[in-house]
Amino acid sequence: MVTPISSISLTFFVNAFLLLCSLNKGYAVGEDEITKGYLHIIKVKSLLPSTACNQTFKVSNSLSLELVHRSGPCIQILNQEKAANAPSNMEILLRDRHRVDSIHARLSSHGVFQEKQATLPAQSGASIGSGDYVVTVGLGTPKKEFTLIFDTGSDLTWTQCEPCAKTCYKQKEPMLDPTKSTSYKNISCSSAFCKLLDTEGGESCSSPTCLYQVQYGDGSYSIGFFATETLTLSSSNVFKNFLFGCGQQNSGLFRGAAGLLGLGRTKLSLPSQTAQKYKKLFSYCLPASSSSKGYLSFGGQVSKTVKFTPLSEDFKSTPFYGLDITELSVGGNKLSIDASIFSTSGTVIDSGTVITRLPSTAYSALSSAFRKLMTDYPSTDGYSIFDTCYDFSKNETIKIPKVGVSFKGGVEMDIDVSGILYPVNGLKKVCLAFAGNGDDVQAAIFGNTQQKTYQVVYDDAKGRVGFAPSGCN
């Protein structure tokens, strides 16, 4: 005769069974039930970029520009040229290191920049590496379209111009010809606008026409005439007398882009020059893969799903948008990192830096916690700036611990799975997509890989930056 089990006893046995399953890694159902809240379970092939552009994304309003990765299949550059010039992962990470070094050089004490001397008489410009994502805008009358790298760490917008007095690199579209635009005007050296180029406010011109110069950490540069032109973002978003650089000597790793769109915080940036209409409000979403599209938007209404963190006062005198990281988590567990580590270094969010840089102590805690939850997979040697790498070539699916970043004001950001790992050699070497600074003093940089799939909202007028998940949908 079988003795009946009461409902209370049954509940006890079920709970005990689930507990034993959670302790037994060999039992898949129990493990998934317990860990699914803090693990990403993905197919390893999803880590690799596609060679075809996903065309499903469409910009839905006139305030938005389509955004693509400049090395991905969605950018309309000749396939032959793209294949020949596609940068290797080592080149990408080396360029990223140069950009980080340039940002750190500019962020000396109290926001005093360290500028390099120009090779031609010119006002000083930014010294920072160029970014990774491009948008298309119109310049001139009649309007001509140009593909520009957008960059929250730069202020001056510039494009290559005819007659290209010294050197120019190959770009997608024909260069801007000032002689064929009725709205182009050079700025004189005596103009107050010319003085805006000089961050120290003292250097003078040696010619009647104001000249600009920008140098980038990867060795790229642009030198030319400082001028005004009509900027067209859409048929209903046209701005006359937009301050920009008309490049006559340009060289570097711009990969077919005609120039750069500056989205920094000084008076020369696009948000500042269009503040009357857009109130220094813009947002973007970087897609999960370089084979997909995102957007860059200006003005408009802010969604209620956006959670804001205040801009840090420490970076107010710089072109950078400063944030305050308060906590990191791995696999649902908050890491034991003293709050002074983040408050000492400070953090800037940057659209052009690829890999997030953390204070040395914070990165060590992050990588250590990550490794402890990845013991099921064979580790490999490091690569460039990465020291935590794995071989997934024999796996079909993998389980990755979630990584969270918390900002001042209680804003918690669960990094998308596309922002946690970075494949550097197919599936044979896939690395944790974070790196450490050399110490705990240099500023942390929240890079574009960790921003993927989020709507990132910059609201400089209200002194805040916001995040909303699933922002590219």
Side-chain angles (χ1 to χ4, degrees):
M1 179 177 177
V2 178
T3 303
I5 299 175
S6 70
S7 61
I8 296 177
S9 299
L10 181 61
T11 301
F12 171 82
F13 282 120
V14 170
N15 287 339
F17 174 72
L18 288 176
L19 178 60
L20 287 172
C21 289
S22 71
L23 297 174
N24 179 6
K25 286 191 174 183
Y27 196 89
V29 174
E31 181 187 5
D32 287 349
E33 285 297 324
I34 299 299
T35 63
K36 66 182 180 181
Y38 62 85
L39 287 179
H40 293 289
I41 303 174
I42 63 169
K43 294 182 178 180
V44 292
K45 290 184 178 180
S46 68
L47 295 170
L48 301 177
S50 171
T51 57
C53 179
N54 181 351
Q55 299 282 1
T56 58
F57 177 84
K58 298 293 181 183
V59 171
S60 60
N61 64 73
S62 63
L63 296 178
S64 296
L65 303 176
E66 193 173 80
L67 171 158
V68 298
H69 195 285
R70 62 171 170 152
S71 297
C74 293
I75 190 167
Q76 304 301 313
I77 295 178
L78 293 176
N79 290 334
Q80 260 187 336
E81 177 190 342
K82 185 176 173 185
N85 296 328
S88 67
N89 280 314
M90 186 61 75
E91 290 170 330
I92 291 171
L93 296 173
L94 179 60
R95 187 183 70 200
D96 200 48
R97 179 179 291 174
H98 289 321
R99 181 179 177 94
V100 168
D101 289 344
S102 296
I103 291 175
H104 285 155
R106 294 184 71 187
L107 290 175
S108 54
S109 61
H110 304 293
V112 177
F113 302 160
Q114 298 176 355
E115 300 289 355
K116 297 180 180 180
Q117 295 298 313
T119 56
L120 292 179
Q123 299 290 348
S124 298
S127 176
I128 188 175
S130 54
D132 289 307
Y133 294 89
V134 297
V135 294
T136 300
V137 303
L139 285 170
T141 307
K143 178 191 75 171
K144 301 294 182 182
E145 291 191 335
F146 300 94
T147 302
L148 304 180
I149 300 167
F150 89 87
D151 186 5
T152 60
S154 297
D155 293 308
L156 180 67
T157 295
W158 64 267
T159 186
Q160 296 194 114
C161 285
E162 295 285 5
C164 192
K166 292 217 171 181
T167 58
C168 286
Y169 58 87
K170 189 175 181 180
Q171 68 179 54
K172 171 188 167 185
E173 308 95 349
M175 288 187 288
L176 176 66
D177 188 344
T179 64
K180 295 181 179 180
S181 172
T182 59
S183 50
Y184 178 91
K185 293 180 183 178
N186 280 329
I187 291 175
S188 70
C189 190
S190 59
S191 169
F193 291 129
C194 191
K195 303 300 180 185
L196 293 175
L197 289 171
D198 186 5
T199 57
E200 296 300 325
E203 189 174 349
S204 62
C205 297
S206 59
S207 65
T209 302
C210 186
L211 301 175
Y212 78 92
Q213 176 229 352
V214 284
Q215 296 177 330
Y216 301 98
D218 58 14
S220 306
Y221 64 86
S222 177
I223 302 171
F225 298 114
F226 192 41
T228 61
E229 184 56 284
T230 296
L231 170 71
T232 302
L233 301 180
S234 71
S235 59
S236 58
N237 291 267
V238 180
F239 301 90
K240 297 180 179 179
N241 300 315
F242 181 77
L243 295 165
F244 85 116
C246 190
Q248 296 294 316
Q249 183 177 349
N250 318 283
S251 179
L253 307 175
F254 299 108
R255 285 195 41 74
L260 186 140
L261 191 70
L263 299 177
R265 301 183 70 185
T266 74
K267 293 180 180 179
L268 288 178
S269 72
L270 188 151
S272 293
Q273 291 195 58
T274 59
Q276 187 172 355
K277 183 166 187 175
Y278 298 139
K279 313 300 182 188
K280 294 188 178 181
L281 177 69
F282 68 94
S283 65
Y284 57 73
C285 184
L286 309 179
S289 168
S290 61
S291 59
S292 296
K293 298 179 180 181
Y295 63 82
L296 170 65
S297 293
F298 298 95
Q301 298 295 316
V302 176
S303 168
K304 292 182 179 180
T305 62
V306 179
K307 305 300 182 185
F308 284 98
T309 182
L311 286 170
S312 172
E313 290 293 319
D314 294 340
F315 300 94
K316 192 172 183 179
S317 62
T318 78
F320 302 105
Y321 297 89
L323 306 178
D324 291 301
I325 293 178
T326 57
E327 288 179 331
L328 299 176
S329 66
V330 176
N333 297 315
K334 293 181 180 179
L335 303 183
S336 180
I337 303 172
D338 193 280
S340 64
I341 297 297
F342 292 117
S343 61
T344 298
S345 68
T347 304
V348 296
I349 181 171
D350 183 42
S351 68
T353 297
V354 179
I355 301 299
T356 288
R357 301 309 204 276
L358 295 170
S360 179
T361 297
Y363 174 72
S364 294
L366 175 74
S367 59
S368 176
F370 190 84
R371 290 190 196 103
K372 288 179 181 178
L373 295 175
M374 293 290 286
T375 54
D376 288 344
Y377 308 104
S379 61
T380 66
D381 295 336
Y383 183 93
S384 182
I385 61 174
F386 299 131
D387 63 11
T388 303
C389 304
Y390 299 90
D391 181 356
F392 298 135
S393 59
K394 296 181 180 180
N395 298 93
E396 291 187 5
T397 62
I398 56 174
K399 298 176 182 180
I400 309 167
K402 292 185 177 181
V403 176
V405 180
S406 297
F407 298 95
K408 187 176 181 179
V411 176
E412 297 182 4
M413 188 175 180
D414 187 10
I415 303 299
D416 185 76
V417 65
S418 61
I420 297 176
L421 293 175
Y422 192 99
V424 295
N425 182 19
L427 295 174
K428 291 184 177 181
K429 192 182 290 289
V430 181
C431 303
L432 175 64
F434 291 79
N437 284 330
D439 54 38
D440 288 339
V441 177
Q442 292 178 315
I445 303 174
F446 193 57
N448 61 44
T449 296
Q450 284 65 44
Q451 299 174 42
K452 287 180 178 179
T453 75
Y454 272 78
Q455 181 188 19
V456 185
V457 181
Y458 294 74
D459 189 355
D460 198 14
K462 294 184 178 180
R464 58 184 188 169
V465 169
F467 304 94
S470 303
C472 293
N473 294 342

